[in-house]
Structures are given as C-alpha cells and as structure tokens.
Coordinates of all heavy atoms in Angstrom, one line a residue:
L723 N 79.4 89.3 98.4 CA 79.2 90.4 99.4 C 79.9 91.7 98.8 O 81.2 91.7 98.7 CB 79.9 90.1 100.7 CG 79.8 91.1 101.8 CD1 78.5 91.4 102.2 CD2 80.7 90.7 102.9
V724 N 79.2 92.7 98.4 CA 79.8 93.9 98.0 C 80.2 94.6 99.2 O 81.4 95.1 99.3 CB 78.7 94.8 97.3 CG1 79.3 96.1 96.9 CG2 78.2 94.0 96.1
E725 N 79.4 94.7 100.3 CA 79.8 95.3 101.5 C 78.8 95.1 102.6 O 77.6 94.8 102.3 CB 80.0 96.8 101.4 CG 80.6 97.5 102.6 CD 82.0 96.9 103.1 OE1 81.9 96.0 103.9 OE2 83.0 97.5 102.7
G726 N 79.1 95.0 103.9 CA 78.2 94.8 105.0 C 78.7 95.5 106.2 O 79.9 95.6 106.5
K727 N 77.8 96.1 106.9 CA 78.1 96.9 108.1 C 77.7 96.1 109.4 O 76.6 95.6 109.5 CB 77.4 98.2 108.2 CG 77.8 99.2 109.3 CD 77.1 100.4 109.3 CE 75.8 100.3 110.0 NZ 75.0 101.5 110.3
I728 N 78.8 95.9 110.2 CA 78.6 95.1 111.4 C 77.7 95.7 112.4 O 77.7 97.0 112.6 CB 80.0 94.8 112.0 CG1 80.9 94.0 111.2 CG2 79.8 94.2 113.5 CD1 80.5 92.6 110.9
S729 N 76.8 94.9 112.9 CA 75.8 95.4 114.0 C 76.2 95.0 115.3 O 75.8 95.6 116.3 CB 74.4 94.9 113.6 OG 74.4 93.5 113.6
G730 N 76.9 93.8 115.4 CA 77.3 93.3 116.8 C 78.8 93.2 116.8 O 79.5 94.0 117.3
T731 N 79.2 92.1 116.1 CA 80.6 91.9 116.0 C 80.9 91.1 114.8 O 79.9 90.4 114.2 CB 81.2 91.1 117.2 OG1 82.6 91.0 117.1 CG2 80.6 89.7 117.3
G732 N 82.1 91.1 114.3 CA 82.5 90.3 113.1 C 83.8 89.7 113.5 O 84.8 90.3 113.9
E733 N 83.8 88.3 113.4 CA 85.0 87.6 113.8 C 85.5 86.9 112.6 O 84.8 86.0 112.1 CB 84.6 86.5 114.9 CG 84.1 87.2 116.2 CD 83.5 86.2 117.1 OE1 83.3 85.0 116.7 OE2 83.2 86.6 118.2
I734 N 86.6 87.2 112.1 CA 87.2 86.7 110.8 C 88.6 86.2 111.0 O 89.5 86.8 111.5 CB 87.2 87.9 109.8 CG1 85.9 88.5 109.6 CG2 87.8 87.3 108.5 CD1 85.8 89.8 108.7
F735 N 88.7 85.0 110.5 CA 90.0 84.3 110.5 C 90.7 84.5 109.2 O 90.0 84.2 108.2 CB 90.0 82.9 110.9 CG 90.0 82.6 112.3 CD1 88.7 82.4 112.9 CD2 91.1 82.5 113.1 CE1 88.7 82.1 114.3 CE2 91.1 82.3 114.4 CZ 89.8 82.1 115.1
F736 N 91.9 85.1 109.2 CA 92.6 85.4 107.9 C 93.9 84.6 107.8 O 94.7 84.7 108.7 CB 92.7 86.9 107.7 CG 93.2 87.3 106.3 CD1 92.4 87.8 105.4 CD2 94.6 87.1 106.0 CE1 92.8 88.2 104.2 CE2 95.1 87.5 104.7 CZ 94.2 88.0 103.8
T737 N 94.0 83.9 106.7 CA 95.3 83.1 106.5 C 96.0 83.8 105.3 O 95.5 83.7 104.1 CB 95.0 81.6 106.3 OG1 94.3 81.1 107.4 CG2 96.3 80.8 106.2
P738 N 97.2 84.5 105.5 CA 97.9 84.9 104.4 C 98.6 83.8 103.6 O 98.9 82.8 104.2 CB 99.0 85.9 105.0 CG 99.0 85.5 106.5 CD 97.8 84.8 106.8
L739 N 98.8 84.1 102.4 CA 99.6 83.1 101.6 C 100.9 83.6 101.3 O 101.1 84.8 101.0 CB 98.8 82.8 100.2 CG 97.4 82.2 100.4 CD1 96.7 82.0 99.1 CD2 97.5 80.8 101.1
T740 N 102.0 82.9 101.2 CA 103.3 83.3 100.9 C 103.6 83.6 99.5 O 104.4 84.3 99.0 CB 104.3 82.4 101.6 OG1 104.2 81.1 101.1 CG2 104.3 82.5 103.1
S741 N 102.9 82.7 98.6 CA 103.0 82.9 97.2 C 102.3 84.2 96.7 O 101.2 84.4 97.3 CB 102.5 81.7 96.4 OG 103.2 80.5 96.9
T742 N 102.8 84.8 95.7 CA 102.1 86.0 95.2 C 101.4 85.5 93.9 O 102.0 85.1 92.9 CB 103.1 87.1 94.8 OG1 103.7 87.5 96.0 CG2 102.3 88.3 94.3
L743 N 100.1 85.5 94.0 CA 99.2 85.1 92.9 C 98.4 86.4 92.4 O 98.3 87.2 93.1 CB 98.2 84.0 93.3 CG 98.9 82.8 93.9 CD1 97.8 81.9 94.5 CD2 99.5 82.1 92.8
A744 N 98.0 86.3 91.1 CA 97.4 87.5 90.6 C 96.1 87.1 89.7 O 96.1 85.9 89.3 CB 98.3 88.4 89.8
K745 N 95.2 87.9 89.6 CA 94.1 87.8 88.8 C 94.2 88.6 87.5 O 94.8 89.6 87.5 CB 92.8 88.2 89.5 CG 92.4 87.4 90.7 CD 91.1 87.6 91.2 CE 90.6 86.6 92.3 NZ 89.2 86.8 92.7
S746 N 93.7 88.1 86.4 CA 93.7 88.7 85.2 C 92.2 88.7 84.6 O 91.4 87.9 85.0 CB 94.7 88.2 84.3 OG 94.3 86.8 83.9
Y747 N 92.0 89.6 83.7 CA 90.6 89.6 83.2 C 90.4 88.5 82.1 O 91.3 88.3 81.3 CB 90.5 91.0 82.4 CG 89.1 91.2 81.7 CD1 88.0 91.5 82.6 CD2 89.0 91.0 80.4 CE1 86.7 91.6 82.0 CE2 87.6 91.1 79.8 CZ 86.5 91.4 80.5 OH 85.3 91.5 80.1
D748 N 89.3 87.8 82.2 CA 89.0 86.7 81.3 C 87.9 87.1 80.4 O 86.7 87.5 80.8 CB 88.5 85.5 82.3 CG 88.0 84.4 81.4 OD1 88.9 83.8 80.7 OD2 86.8 84.1 81.5

C-alpha cells in the first residue's frame, strides 16, 4: 500500500514496540 484514501471509515489497531529497531539498506 503506497497510499489509500478512506471512503467510509478506517479502523486500525496499532501496537507500539518498546524496543527501538531500525532498517538498513540491503
């Protein structure tokens, strides 16, 4: 998903993580 515009509703559950992880270029 690059982007999407909501037409009705969007219900999203978000769980934060306490550890700090990072991505690097492969």
Side-chain angles (χ1 to χ4, degrees):
L723 179 68
V724 177
E725 189 56 276
K727 189 178 87 172
I728 295 294
S729 62
T731 187
E733 301 167 350
I734 302 170
F735 278 97
F736 189 98
T737 303
L739 300 174
T740 54
S741 300
T742 301
L743 304 169
K745 290 188 173 189
S746 59
Y747 182 76
D748 178 62

